[in-house]
Amino acid sequence: KKTQTQMKTTPVTIKSFTLTLDKVVKGNPTPCTMSCVYVFNSKTRTQIAYVLEVNGTLTDIKCYPIGVGGALAYMSDSRPGFVGDIDVHLCCFNDKKGEPVDGFMRQGPEGEDIIASETYIHNTLSDLHLQNNQISQK
């Protein structure tokens, strides 16, 4: 009698990438690179993401899932502060199936300067965040 060993596999996606943020959306931001990683377990629906480097300076900015339909999208929840010479206010990135990974960074003490990747889809990510920010400031 033959016995077959079955290994249960968990559908886990691990992706790392570096975004070049050089598209000015607002203000006078500093162009930079942002190296990121995320882990997504589709069975348990658990996710975790980090910005690991900004312009080659190591960091560990934790990012959390945000509700962008049809995408794995993540945003930092607290102001990381200076990473090297860049005053990071908020980081966000988006991986939508069939499209290049894109993202943006708010810089400055109040997040007044915004820089994004060339492939950034403005209304998918930033409009939601900018609208929420404007509402909370009124």
Side-chain angles (χ1 to χ4, degrees):
K1 190 176 184 180
K2 289 186 178 177
T3 356
Q4 210 171 25
T5 306
Q6 281 189 335
M7 292 184 67
K8 290 185 179 180
T9 56
T10 306
V12 175
T13 302
I14 300 171
K15 188 166 185 176
S16 62
F17 51 90
T18 299
L19 293 172
T20 299
L21 306 179
D22 57 4
K23 180 181 174 187
V24 175
V25 176
K26 182 181 171 194
N28 190 27
T30 303
C32 61
T33 58
M34 183 169 74
S35 297
C36 309
V37 64
Y38 70 81
V39 178
F40 174 68
N41 181 324
S42 62
K43 186 175 182 178
T44 63
R45 309 294 295 169
T46 55
Q47 307 175 53
I48 190 164
Y50 287 94
V51 174
L52 301 174
E53 290 183 353
V54 174
N55 276 356
T57 301
L58 293 176
T59 185
D60 62 350
I61 301 169
K62 190 169 184 180
C63 298
Y64 297 89
I66 57 175
V68 175
L72 295 174
Y74 303 92
M75 184 182 304
S76 59
D77 74 337
S78 62
R79 188 180 183 305
F82 278 90
V83 178
D85 60 347
I86 297 178
D87 188 4
V88 179
H89 186 80
L90 177 138
C91 301
C92 189
F93 57 90
N94 171 41
D95 189 6
K96 191 169 187 174
K97 191 173 186 170
E99 296 180 12
V101 176
D102 62 13
F104 70 93
M105 179 186 290
R106 294 185 70 148
Q107 300 174 356
E110 302 298 321
E112 63 275 11
D113 302 315
I114 304 172
I115 190 94
S117 62
E118 189 62 37
T119 57
Y120 168 72
I121 301 167
H122 187 71
N123 63 2
T124 301
L125 294 176
S126 76
D127 279 355
L128 294 172
H129 183 69
L130 291 172
Q131 288 169 7
N132 289 339
N133 234 15
Q134 288 168 354
I135 291 167
S136 67
Q137 290 177 357
K138 289 182 179 180

